Amino acid sequence: MTDEYCREPWDAAALTARKSHQMAFPEGIASEIQEWIERQPDVVDDEVEQGDVVGMKELSQLARRVRTELTEGTGVARVQSPGDVDDLFLRRYYLAFGVLLGNPLGNYGRLYDVKDRGGDYTKTAIPISQTRAATGLHTDSSALDVLPDLVGLICIRPARSGGASRISCALRAHQRLAEENSESLSVLQQPHLRDIVTPGADRSQRLRNQFPVFGDQSGRGVTCRYMRFWIEKGYESAGVEPPDGLTTSLDALDGYLEEEGAVADFRLQRGEMLWVDNCTTLHDRTGYEDDPDAPRLLLRQWVKYVGSE
Ligand SMILES: [Fe+2]
């Protein structure tokens, strides 16, 4: 496989130094969203289309800047909060944004509530996004045929404590493995079983649900699909012995992803958006404690680039 990178690998300092990945909220967008709400007071989230939102010039311009940063820059974009607006405004702003970036996926409903539903992902097959556990660095979706190009999050309410976002560059980890541990890298380039929690999977899909941690998705050069728990669980559920060296290789990968200076961390404030390229950036959040009267709520979107299906 190719070892070409579609972007410069980054560490936390390089990401912070790249000012263009953090954007202010242009004031003009507020009236565009407000006007849309007045024009269409009720919308079905999954039915919002380009045609509903293309007239929003300022928002379209911001979406173009975000998209450029995601495709040609670091693969990470953060947009500051619009300030004092209500939840309806934030939902519509975020919905419009997803449509302007590409085709939002509807596997979990277009806007998916990331909140603690009291479950334990280690005991039942549920996404970690439905718990308040720390997740570990990962990319989204463990199903072979469901691969969002972009993962977005908007913060509706931060947690009382904890719940910080952490992100790390998969290409940097790949580079470090290539430099120091090519044996582990080659294990990670082989297909591995993944457990499936994305709704709608049957048994035969489960058995063919395997793909490498480092591959070359859509001819983009090095890409990454990784969540350690679902790999280990995938072998366990299938009753298949994991290949030699798998645990050592996953340890090596985790070591490089978590290496000093590799992880950028920050806490999303209400109204703040984060978008990442799901094939080159891994994300994580720390465990958190809720205020029972105002529990943490983030809305997630999965987006495919137009033409990449
Ligand atoms: Fe995730």
Side-chain angles (χ1 to χ4, degrees), residues 221-233:
V222 175
T223 52
C224 180
R225 297 191 71 181
Y226 180 56
M227 185 187 275
R228 182 168 186 152
F229 182 77
W230 301 127
I231 295 175
E232 291 170 339
K233 192 83 186 161

Side-chain angles (χ1 to χ4, degrees), residues 129 138-140 151 227 283 300:
S129 54
H138 67 278
T139 60
D140 270 6
V151 175
M227 185 187 275
H283 62 278
R300 185 189 72 194

Side-chain angles (χ1 to χ4, degrees), residues 209-284:
N209 198 53
Q210 43 181 305
F211 46 88
V213 173
F214 287 111
D216 179 2
Q217 202 75 42
S218 332
R220 292 184 58 194
V222 175
T223 52
C224 180
R225 297 191 71 181
Y226 180 56
M227 185 187 275
R228 182 168 186 152
F229 182 77
W230 301 127
I231 295 175
E232 291 170 339
K233 192 83 186 161
Y235 280 102
E236 189 190 312
S237 308
V240 174
E241 191 64 30
D244 281 352
L246 180 62
T247 302
T248 322
S249 303
L250 297 177
D251 287 346
L253 172 58
D254 287 343
Y256 289 122
L257 288 171
E258 293 281 356
E259 207 168 25
E260 196 178 341
V263 178
D265 56 358
F266 46 87
R267 206 154 176 268
L268 293 177
Q269 301 304 318
R270 176 174 164 82
E272 201 179 334
M273 268 193 314
L274 167 68
W275 287 93
V276 297
D277 178 325
N278 190 43
C279 295
T280 62
T281 312
L282 294 98
H283 62 278
D284 181 21

Side-chain angles (χ1 to χ4, degrees), residues 43-107:
V43 293
V44 175
D45 289 0
D46 289 3
E47 292 173 6
V48 172
E49 295 170 347
Q50 280 261 339
D52 298 319
V53 300
V54 280
M56 302 184 196
K57 297 242 160 39
E58 296 245 12
L59 188 66
S60 304
Q61 209 168 29
L62 179 64
R64 272 197 297 277
R65 284 173 58 206
V66 165
R67 191 169 168 146
T68 302
E69 189 60 29
L70 291 169
T71 51
E72 295 164 27
T74 53
V76 178
R78 286 172 64 186
V79 182
Q80 284 169 9
S81 171
D84 188 18
V85 294
D86 61 16
D87 289 3
L88 174 66
F89 180 99
L90 290 178
R91 286 186 74 90
R92 297 288 285 266
Y93 159 59
Y94 187 47
L95 266 177
F97 213 87
V99 171
L100 290 169
L101 286 178
N103 290 333
L105 298 180
N107 302 67

Side-chain angles (χ1 to χ4, degrees), residues 20-33:
S20 58
H21 92 281
Q22 296 201 50
M23 298 165 213
F25 176 84
E27 282 307 317
I29 291 175
S31 55
E32 292 178 345
I33 301 292

Side-chain angles (χ1 to χ4, degrees), residues 133-162:
T135 59
L137 286 160
H138 67 278
T139 60
D140 270 6
S141 180
S142 60
L144 175 65
D145 301 326
V146 180
L147 177 59
D149 292 314
L150 303 177
V151 175
L153 289 168
I154 191 168
C155 177
I156 303 296
R157 275 188 308 273
R160 179 163 59 191
S161 65

